[in-house]
Amino acid sequence: MNHAMTKEELEQILDQALQDVTERTAGVRLHQGEQPPGEDLCTVHITFDRGFNTSLTLCADKSLLARMACNSFHEEAVTPEDLEEFSKEYLNVLCGKVTGAMFQATQIPARFGTPVFYHGRYEPEGQEVQFILTYSDEHSEGAQLIHHVPCPQGDGADKS
């Protein structure tokens, strides 16, 4: 039997998945906090195109993603291409864990698209933020996992 999940249940699934995947794949422990990432950011965005009409955006300090990539690849430094490859694969793994947990909770199978990498902050069009989970690590580097939902249609807000 399918059932919708509450925002709080979804936040808990996303938080647990992010912390598990980050520690296992990159050897970095993230903790929820209030400090948003700084100015030198990278963003990875992914859309759920079946099962759930939502998307996730990971916006993080470039230095945090680079350190995670170095740890994952067992390298001292990474190229910009390595950083992009790691970031997209990291979000893929994260979304795989999230869709598994969401299926257990709702019995709704979900599929997600290919992650897209951006330098700087990216805001998807036609979607609004439902909630933001903010993280930092022991070096005060930060990340935000942002859950987007479609903007309401036909609410009369745009009367131009």
Side-chain angles (χ1 to χ4, degrees):
M1 176 172 154
N2 311 2
H3 76 279
M5 69 174 40
T6 66
K7 180 176 156 257
E8 291 73 22
E9 288 171 320
L10 181 57
E11 285 179 4
Q12 185 174 4
I13 285 173
L14 291 173
D15 176 53
Q16 188 66 51
L18 183 124
Q19 291 194 44
D20 288 351
V21 168
T22 305
E23 191 162 353
R24 274 193 299 110
T25 63
V28 173
R29 295 190 92 163
L30 293 177
H31 304 282
Q32 280 201 40
E34 300 297 317
Q35 180 70 35
E39 294 296 312
D40 192 11
L41 303 173
C42 293
T43 303
V44 193
H45 178 77
I46 200 162
T47 301
F48 288 85
D49 46 17
R50 193 179 89 198
F52 300 97
N53 191 16
T54 63
S55 68
L56 285 176
T57 304
L58 176 71
C59 187
D61 285 323
K62 188 175 180 181
S63 55
L64 173 61
L65 289 173
R67 190 160 46 84
M68 289 169 57
C70 286
N71 290 350
S72 180
F73 296 154
H74 306 289
E75 298 287 340
E76 290 293 314
V78 291
T79 66
E81 293 78 17
D82 290 339
L83 180 66
E84 179 174 341
E85 178 186 326
F86 169 79
S87 299
K88 292 192 303 191
E89 185 57 29
Y90 169 80
L91 193 58
N92 253 338
V93 172
L94 178 62
C95 286
K97 188 164 184 72
V98 167
T99 55
M102 288 171 64
F103 180 77
Q104 283 188 319
T106 65
Q107 299 302 303
I108 298 171
R111 184 177 320 156
F112 49 90
T114 304
V116 183
F117 182 84
Y118 301 91
H119 291 281
R121 185 175 288 275
Y122 170 77
E123 304 278 340
E125 288 185 27
Q127 300 203 318
E128 64 184 20
V129 173
Q130 184 185 35
F131 60 82
I132 299 174
L133 301 176
T134 301
Y135 296 90
S136 62
D137 69 354
E138 69 275 10
H139 301 287
S140 298
E141 294 172 321
Q144 290 182 319
L145 187 62
I146 306 163
H147 184 255
H148 293 95
V149 295
C151 289
Q153 299 297 313
D155 64 1
D158 184 20
K159 299 257 191 221
S160 47

